[in-house]
Amino acid sequence: MEENRNGINIGLLITSVNFVFVCCLLLFGYIAAGDIIADWFKYSPKVALTNTTKKTTSASHFDKAIDGIHVQTGLVYAEGFEVVRGTCTTCHSAKLVTQNRATREGWKQMIVWMQVTQGLWDLGEQEPIILDYLATHYAPKAVGRRANIDLAEVEWYILNVEED
Amino acid sequence: MTKNKQKIGIHELYAKDPIEADKLLWGRVGEPKSRRGFLKKSALAAISLALGTKMVFADYFPRGIIPAALAHSSEAFELEGKRAGLIVLNDKPINAETPPHLLDDKLTPNDLFFVRNNGIPPREVNLSTWTLTIEGESVRQSKTYTLADLKSKFKQYTYHITLECGGNGRKEFNPPAKGNQWSTGAVGCAAWTGVRLKDILNEVGIKSNAVYIGYYGKDTHISGSDKVVISRGVPIEKAMEDESLIAWAMNGEAIPMLNGYPLRLVFGGYPASCSGKWLHKIVVRDKVHDGPKMTGQSYRVPCKPVAPGTKVADKDMCIIEAMPVKSLITFPKSGVMLPLGKQLPLRGHAWAGARSVTKMEYSIDFGMTWQPCNLSAPKNRFAWQQFDAKVSFPEEGYYEVWVRATDSEGVAQPMLLPGWNPKGYLNNACHRIAVKITN
């Protein structure tokens, strides 16, 4: 797999000088080697984006941040974002990050759990960057023993009931 | 309507993994020889529906590419076999819950039934070659059945059985627990048709030292490795109950792919993770099954109560068996406004793990007083029960209607969160809706 993917990458690098032909090349690539291209997509989401939304001009819109939130992933767009996206969303949805809250220690435990049970690699010097990001932007909130109904989320509507 | 932040646009899914997106969205998978997109009829229908027209030359359309006509779409997509309106918590693996107002039916429709996947469902299912093997150290012989064998050799049964994820309600725990942050909707009740597990185990022959059964399914690990995704099970006594089924039909139809097509286990009253999907092997063990997600902290709670936030060693965690009493208001949807003097019709479901619900009440004053609801008998053991009431309000203003179920052992739902546990299981706190009475 490894040498195959490298081979394809080199071929694409050469060809992508002419951007117009990227789409055609990938189409050809599917016919020739769908699985290899699939692997390649995983590590180059931006190319996949360019390809799949080429006609829409919305690719850049999709890969940018609005109100501090990265549109595509829903992650907070701040220092450490690129490392977190590159590391975490390789294997799972960004939603698994954004819906959770934990202290730095709690996030560390999740990383260890993924390393022990899910095949996550040693994060090396990226680990403190990731932990800083997560502990800053996805920290627990104090809600007591039970939070109020989230009234900001309630959509009020009028119910018409029949006379008894 | 779900909120925008809870939806996933078509682009996000394709951008991350186009091949996977194809499979999830349309059930479209690559045809091995040509590597072209191969569209199952159902997938073609789904694409055609979304496009609003028939897709010509669909078979030649490469997999992993958004059809151009859909490329502008930022609409939330429908999961294969699922109606729009489910709240997608996670798209890799797929986890989606049903908002309470969409659970109003007595039997949850297949396209509204929640999805809790740990891995990726199988890509290809061939009904004629699908088999179920029974083996393990506590069977007298190992035996393999085709689907046709199961349907022809054993008596078929249909039961209404409630399935609820052990982590349903996790979102409310504080300190928060990791994992999919289920709100209230990882529950549903369907009419499951299949054969009794005990009939099969009896035909195979079980040794007297059998303690537990474990399942293996055809789902694959999201990392792409060949690791077993999840392999849980139940004590042999639970496996031998009349309502413990190996099912191939759900509400009279094939089980949706995301819910375990073509074959799954159904164990009422236990965490739904015991009810293995895409079932192809059952092992009968002479000890508690030790497959992935049976051990460590998974689907376990502290054997003895702990303070919120306590770190609990694996050896002090015990397997969850029967789930606690619980109820859900399915009508009206939270946020209802009603003129003073009108009565609010209230209804929903109540269920109680291995027990039945014997009392159902509502309160409009945060539990100071409780009024009775009408409560139906369960269709069979493990079926949820229906409650209803007409609620009157004394004056205009903001109210919350809370409901509380009590089970046959006299155990009721708490209004606050029940005992904190590290993984956030078993939240059966009372459900409530917001109500405004206007003049």
Side-chain angles (χ1 to χ4, degrees), chain B residues 213-426:
Chain B
I213 68 106
Y215 65 76
Y216 290 89
K218 288 269 190 190
D219 44 345
T220 54
H221 205 273
I222 53 170
S223 69
S225 74
D226 56 5
K227 278 182 169 184
V228 173
V229 176
I230 181 169
S231 172
R232 304 198 69 240
V234 296
I236 193 73
E237 297 77 23
K238 178 70 184 171
M240 300 302 273
E241 283 181 349
D242 284 353
E243 301 85 352
S244 294
L245 294 181
I246 294 175
W248 55 77
M250 180 177 175
N251 297 325
E253 297 168 13
I255 298 169
M257 177 58 83
L258 293 175
N259 297 105
Y261 178 82
L263 200 64
R264 70 170 298 167
L265 286 164
V266 181
F267 295 114
Y270 272 46
S273 57
C274 296
S275 300
K277 302 193 279 187
W278 311 288
L279 178 71
H280 78 100
K281 187 161 78 178
I282 290 173
V283 289
V284 183
R285 308 295 311 271
D286 64 2
K287 58 177 182 179
V288 174
H289 184 52
D290 51 3
K293 307 228 171 182
M294 275 307 296
T295 58
Q297 308 251 321
S298 295
Y299 300 102
R300 288 170 181 247
V301 290
C303 303
K304 297 192 171 109
V306 299
T310 304
K311 198 170 177 180
V312 184
D314 287 357
K315 67 174 177 53
D316 297 321
M317 297 285 278
C318 286
I319 298 171
I320 299 168
E321 294 190 343
M323 303 268 284
V325 62
K326 199 162 172 178
S327 59
L328 189 70
I329 299 166
T330 58
F331 186 90
K333 187 184 173 200
S334 188
V336 60
M337 295 190 287
L338 193 73
L340 183 63
K342 298 278 187 191
Q343 284 191 312
L344 182 71
L346 180 77
R347 61 176 182 260
H349 311 290
W351 61 100
R355 301 171 185 169
S356 62
V357 178
T358 51
K359 187 163 70 174
M360 194 68 213
E361 300 161 294
Y362 72 87
S363 176
I364 61 166
D365 54 15
F366 302 94
M368 286 191 285
T369 61
W370 292 93
Q371 317 303 327
C373 299
N374 300 314
L375 179 66
S376 74
K379 164 89 174 166
N380 51 255
R381 192 158 61 147
F382 308 121
W384 66 15
Q385 298 166 243
Q386 283 62 53
F387 67 84
D388 67 83
K390 295 270 192 193
V391 183
S392 297
F393 298 87
E395 56 187 317
E396 61 187 274
Y398 174 83
Y399 293 86
E400 292 177 11
V401 177
W402 291 55
V403 294
R404 181 173 73 174
T406 304
D407 73 19
S408 49
E409 300 291 318
V411 178
Q413 291 181 261
M415 290 183 72
L416 296 176
L417 270 280
W420 183 92
N421 62 90
K423 298 274 281 182
Y425 297 118
L426 305 182

Side-chain angles (χ1 to χ4, degrees), chain A residues 143-149, chain B residues 166-177 181-184 305-308 324-326 402 412-421 423-432:
Chain A
V143 294
R145 191 76 195 190
R146 191 146 198 209
N148 277 335
I149 290 179
Chain B
N168 196 22
R170 173 177 294 138
K171 186 179 186 177
E172 288 197 280
F173 278 104
N174 179 38
Q181 298 296 300
W182 302 104
S183 180
T184 57
V306 299
V325 62
K326 199 162 172 178
W402 291 55
Q413 291 181 261
M415 290 183 72
L416 296 176
L417 270 280
W420 183 92
N421 62 90
K423 298 274 281 182
Y425 297 118
L426 305 182
N427 175 9
N428 67 333
C430 292
H431 188 225
R432 63 238 162 113

Side-chain angles (χ1 to χ4, degrees), chain B residues 31-44:
Chain B
E31 192 275 308
K33 280 179 189 164
S34 70
R35 313 309 304 182
R36 285 177 184 137
F38 170 71
L39 291 159
K40 288 187 291 184
K41 274 187 182 154
S42 60
L44 181 56

Side-chain angles (χ1 to χ4, degrees), chain B residues 62-130:
Chain B
R63 60 191 181 138
I65 306 292
I66 303 178
L70 297 180
H72 288 284
S73 169
S74 58
E75 292 295 300
F77 64 87
E78 291 185 36
L79 299 173
E80 186 185 358
K82 295 290 165 187
R83 206 183 301 179
L86 290 198
I87 299 162
V88 178
L89 300 176
N90 188 355
D91 50 300
K92 188 182 176 184
I94 290 175
N95 284 270
E97 68 171 281
T98 321
H101 66 283
L102 293 182
L103 284 170
D104 199 35
D105 300 278
K106 186 173 177 183
L107 287 175
T108 310
N110 293 9
D111 61 358
L112 286 176
F113 211 93
F114 77 98
V115 179
R116 194 286 181 254
N117 286 349
N118 288 263
I120 311 290
R123 281 162 201 264
E124 298 282 355
V125 170
N126 184 334
L127 295 180
S128 60
T129 57
W130 191 279

Side-chain angles (χ1 to χ4, degrees), chain A residues 23 26-27 29-39 41-46 48-49 51-58 62 71-74 89-96 98-103 105-107 109-110 113-120 139-164, chain B residues 1-3 5-8 11-19 33-36 62-66 68 71-72 88-93 172-182 221-223 227 293 298 308 311 331-339 342-345 390 398-400 402 414-420 423 427 429-436:
Chain A
C23 184
L26 285 177
L27 289 176
Y30 269 111
I31 294 160
D35 284 341
I36 297 162
I37 296 288
D39 285 348
F41 266 172
K42 273 185 189 168
Y43 296 98
S44 309
K46 279 178 183 168
L49 250 182
N51 185 45
T52 53
T53 59
K54 191 167 181 290
K55 292 177 184 169
T56 72
T57 72
S58 65
F62 188 52
V71 175
Q72 181 189 336
T73 58
T89 66
T90 304
C91 293
H92 60 73
S93 169
K95 288 180 180 297
L96 213 44
T98 57
Q99 67 181 305
N100 276 283
R101 296 288 180 276
T103 59
E105 189 199 354
W107 284 112
Q109 284 170 10
M110 284 184 231
W113 177 81
M114 285 186 280
Q115 286 167 333
V116 171
T117 67
Q118 305 295 307
L120 175 62
K141 297 171 193 160
V143 294
R145 191 76 195 190
R146 191 146 198 209
N148 277 335
I149 290 179
D150 187 354
L151 292 173
E153 291 281 300
V154 170
E155 294 164 340
W156 293 100
Y157 65 99
I158 295 165
L159 180 69
N160 293 311
V161 290
E162 298 298 316
E163 291 295 331
D164 290 313
Chain B
M1 287 293 291
T2 53
K3 295 287 191 294
K5 66 180 181 186
Q6 291 165 327
K7 294 177 176 178
I8 303 173
H11 292 294
E12 180 184 347
L13 203 67
Y14 269 86
K16 277 203 306 250
D17 187 342
I19 305 300
K33 280 179 189 164
S34 70
R35 313 309 304 182
R36 285 177 184 137
R63 60 191 181 138
I65 306 292
I66 303 178
H72 288 284
V88 178
L89 300 176
N90 188 355
D91 50 300
K92 188 182 176 184
E172 288 197 280
F173 278 104
N174 179 38
K178 80 179 176 75
N180 290 294
Q181 298 296 300
W182 302 104
H221 205 273
I222 53 170
S223 69
K227 278 182 169 184
K293 307 228 171 182
S298 295
K311 198 170 177 180
F331 186 90
K333 187 184 173 200
S334 188
V336 60
M337 295 190 287
L338 193 73
K342 298 278 187 191
Q343 284 191 312
L344 182 71
K390 295 270 192 193
Y398 174 83
Y399 293 86
E400 292 177 11
W402 291 55
M415 290 183 72
L416 296 176
L417 270 280
W420 183 92
K423 298 274 281 182
N427 175 9
C430 292
H431 188 225
R432 63 238 162 113
I433 58 168
V435 178
K436 266 184 200 169

